[in-house]
Amino acid sequence: MVISPSALGQPAGTNQPPVKEATEMEDHPYIGMWVTKDGHIRQELLPNGRYDEARGTRTSAYQGRYGIRGTKIDYWDDTGFTADGEFIDGVLHHGGMLFHREGQVKQNP
């Protein structure tokens, strides 16, 4: 019997990683909230392999799955677009922006 990806909660026809158990990555060093220096964009990497990105007052502006290989991160947004980034010296470089761990950088007024 063949089970389609959509039957498992996966979008059909994508190269997205499978949904992970919530505890599978909970100790991964990159899990958590990442924010731009001005605090306008906030991206939470969840331990189940999903992310939730807020922009300004718009919560959950973008959501989807992510996969981490070493210091590289790949994103598969629920709307269909893909992106990538890299963690360099404790900073997430993604989409021409720099994200820092929440609480590690003073916010600009």
Side-chain angles (χ1 to χ4, degrees):
M1 172 161 107
V2 176
I3 299 174
S4 73
S6 59
L8 298 173
Q10 300 293 317
T14 68
N15 291 323
Q16 293 188 18
V19 175
K20 296 177 173 33
E21 292 296 322
T23 58
E24 190 171 336
M25 289 184 59
E26 69 184 15
D27 293 329
H28 194 283
Y30 299 143
I31 297 301
M33 185 67 76
W34 294 85
V35 298
T36 54
K37 193 169 184 178
D38 63 5
H40 181 74
I41 303 175
R42 299 167 308 284
Q43 186 179 96
E44 186 172 13
L45 300 179
L46 301 166
N48 64 353
R50 295 209 31 101
Y51 72 90
D52 191 321
E53 183 175 301
R55 292 189 174 227
T57 59
R58 188 174 167 208
T59 60
S60 299
Y62 297 99
Q63 295 177 313
R65 300 189 199 298
Y66 70 89
I68 296 174
R69 293 175 334 277
T71 60
K72 308 281 186 186
I73 184 168
D74 292 300
Y75 299 89
W76 295 270
D77 188 84
D78 289 345
T79 63
F81 72 84
T82 61
D84 60 15
E86 184 170 10
F87 296 91
I88 302 172
D89 296 327
V91 177
L92 170 56
H93 296 243
H94 165 61
M97 298 173 282
L98 301 177
F99 290 81
H100 304 270
R101 279 275 189 202
E102 184 175 52
Q104 289 187 344
V105 178
K106 287 186 178 181
Q107 303 285 313
N108 291 337

